[in-house]
Amino acid sequence: QQRQQRQHGQSTQSNKDKIALSYLVIMADNSCQSAYCNQGWSEVLTHMSPYGYANFGIAFGLGLSVVGAAWGIWLTGSSLVGAAVKAPRIRSKNLISVIFCEATAIYGVIMAIILANKVKKPDEAVSQLPEDWDWPGYYYAGYGMFSSGLSVGLTNVASGVSVGIAGSACAIADAQDASLFVKILIVEIFASALGIFGIIVGIIQSNACTFPIAALE
């Protein structure tokens, strides 16, 4: 019985090895099902150039940050203008809420500039990269910059919306009771700090992302 169990275990391990080997063969086969590698999203995403991922990261980081800033300004600006009709004194000091919302867009611009400076083209203009290219570093840079830009963009969307809602409440509350302005302003500061957390993590993510410009020696 022990011999049968041992043989069963060996056959199971052998089957796992065969499956793993066949999986590696499939992964090593870079051929596409269509002429332009666009037969379905899985084929498009698995054959996209790391340069494409890097530039998408830049676009998402900047674009989503601007969306968050615009959303926050829309929320707080409309409440500010409406409340200022009855209490004109709140117009000037409540503009700080708009500044906090605009800061989320600035974080996205800073991150986009940092990422854009990391995209380097190869020294030699060739139609196909050589076999001794630093492929792990090449793909790591693309995926890392994509995730970095996405991290900053999504956190800035959350930060912009939260600052906008808090700023809207601040303007309405200040119109009713001037003593509430400073108290709600503290809430806005903490909401704005969410964007700072995102850009810190984004910079750390992108630190090791370096596109190779020449083949390995």
Side-chain angles (χ1 to χ4, degrees):
Q1 185 177 2
Q2 291 179 354
R3 181 181 298 176
Q4 289 178 354
Q5 291 178 352
R6 193 180 303 112
Q7 290 176 352
H8 178 70
Q10 290 175 353
S11 63
T12 303
Q13 184 64 33
S14 176
N15 291 334
K16 289 182 179 179
D17 293 340
K18 289 179 182 178
I19 294 172
L21 181 61
S22 60
Y23 177 76
L24 290 175
V25 170
I26 293 172
M27 292 299 293
D29 184 12
N30 292 324
S31 61
C32 299
Q33 300 297 323
S34 60
Y36 299 102
C37 295
N38 59 357
Q39 186 175 339
W41 282 107
S42 60
E43 192 167 288
V44 171
L45 295 176
T46 53
H47 291 81
M48 187 185 295
S49 168
Y51 287 115
Y53 273 106
N55 285 285
F56 269 120
I58 296 170
F60 280 129
L62 178 61
L64 292 175
S65 298
V66 172
V67 168
W71 201 339
I73 292 172
W74 165 46
L75 290 171
T76 191
S78 57
S79 297
L80 173 59
V81 173
V85 174
K86 291 294 183 181
R89 60 178 176 79
I90 71 169
R91 286 177 299 180
S92 56
K93 63 179 180 179
N94 275 276
L95 287 177
I96 192 170
S97 300
V98 178
I99 296 173
F100 280 142
C101 293
E102 187 66 24
T104 60
I106 295 174
Y107 299 152
V109 172
I110 293 172
M111 198 67 225
I113 293 172
I114 292 173
L115 295 179
N117 287 331
K118 287 180 171 291
V119 180
K120 306 293 183 182
K121 64 179 182 179
D123 286 339
E124 298 180 5
V126 292
S127 60
Q128 189 172 1
L129 296 174
E131 299 242 350
D132 55 350
W133 196 256
D134 183 13
W135 295 104
Y138 182 53
Y139 279 93
Y140 180 86
Y143 294 149
M145 291 178 63
F146 177 76
S147 62
S148 175
L150 203 59
S151 299
V152 174
L154 292 175
T155 52
N156 282 335
V157 168
S159 176
V161 172
S162 61
V163 171
I165 294 174
S168 173
C170 183
I172 296 172
D174 187 24
Q176 295 293 325
D177 186 358
S179 65
L180 296 175
F181 174 75
V182 176
K183 298 176 183 178
I184 302 181
L185 186 64
I186 297 174
V187 178
E188 286 190 64
I189 294 173
F190 281 109
S192 180
L194 299 175
I196 299 176
F197 301 154
I199 193 171
I200 290 173
V201 174
I203 292 173
I204 294 173
Q205 282 181 302
S206 64
N207 270 342
C209 298
T210 303
F211 275 98
I213 58 175
L216 297 173
E217 297 179 356

